[in-house]
Amino acid sequence: MPSREFLWDVFQRVDRDRSGYINADELQSALSNGTWSPFNPETVRLMIGMFDRHNRGQVNFEDFGALWKYVTDWQNCFRSFDRDNSGNIDKQELKTALTTFGYRLSESLIDTLIRKFDRHGHGTILFDDFIQCCIVLYTLTASFRQYDTDQDGVITIHYEQFLSMVFSLKI
């Protein structure tokens, strides 16, 4: 874990308006996905939401330390599954990653995930989109499991339960 002084230095550079908080725009400009394109704003919004304990749409310095560790852990994870060091995750690398995380998904669902999270249409997923893919998959799975009380992978819910489940998620 980096020192508190290092994190404070990074925090101050990212907090451009000197508000004492980092909002999504500030965080987006500070993050890199390994290309010259901006970090996915939806991924930034999801991460701010995860670490914003006061529901203000921003994080303070204390929350920033946890957010920094989270991004660093995802970077290491991404690099470990990017076997060919291409800077992106292809279908086989995504399948390996998700299998390692405990998901057993069909080829067609893996194809769907690639299409959904490939913002550039190259058949691959960049770092920021990989984070978003994994957060969304985890969130949906956790929500599904609340109804899958016998853990058989099948649930029966009413339409309004489904809508309530989906609309209550922070994704």
Side-chain angles (χ1 to χ4, degrees), residues 9-134:
D9 183 51
V10 173
F11 183 86
Q12 288 185 305
R13 281 186 277 141
V14 175
D15 180 21
R16 290 190 316 260
D17 65 0
R18 298 285 177 251
S19 66
Y21 294 90
I22 293 175
N23 63 31
D25 290 339
E26 290 169 326
L27 183 60
Q28 181 185 18
S29 67
L31 294 173
S32 169
N33 66 6
T35 70
W36 295 107
S37 62
F39 211 84
N40 183 333
E42 188 61 23
T43 306
V44 175
R45 186 189 65 78
L46 282 171
M47 291 191 308
I48 290 279
M50 291 172 69
F51 292 93
D52 172 17
R53 290 181 295 174
H54 305 288
N55 290 322
R56 295 182 184 150
Q58 54 193 7
V59 293
N60 62 20
F61 176 64
E62 297 307 318
D63 298 332
F64 178 72
L67 176 62
W68 179 270
K69 180 182 181 332
Y70 185 78
V71 172
T72 303
D73 289 347
W74 272 116
Q75 247 176 347
N76 294 332
C77 175
F78 181 84
R79 287 183 183 133
S80 74
F81 291 112
D82 179 17
R83 299 273 187 227
D84 59 2
N85 293 316
S86 61
N88 57 56
I89 297 286
D90 64 24
K91 178 183 174 181
Q92 190 55 49
E93 290 166 335
L94 180 61
K95 183 177 180 178
T96 301
L98 296 179
T99 300
T100 302
F101 298 156
Y103 296 103
R104 302 290 177 261
L105 304 175
S106 68
E107 291 291 323
S108 65
L109 190 54
I110 299 286
D111 288 337
T112 299
L113 291 173
I114 291 282
R115 281 192 307 276
K116 170 84 176 150
F117 295 100
D118 171 18
R119 283 187 298 151
H120 302 288
H122 299 163
T124 58
I125 301 177
L126 296 173
F127 173 57
D128 48 350
D129 301 315
F130 177 70
I131 295 172
Q132 184 185 356
C133 174
C134 294

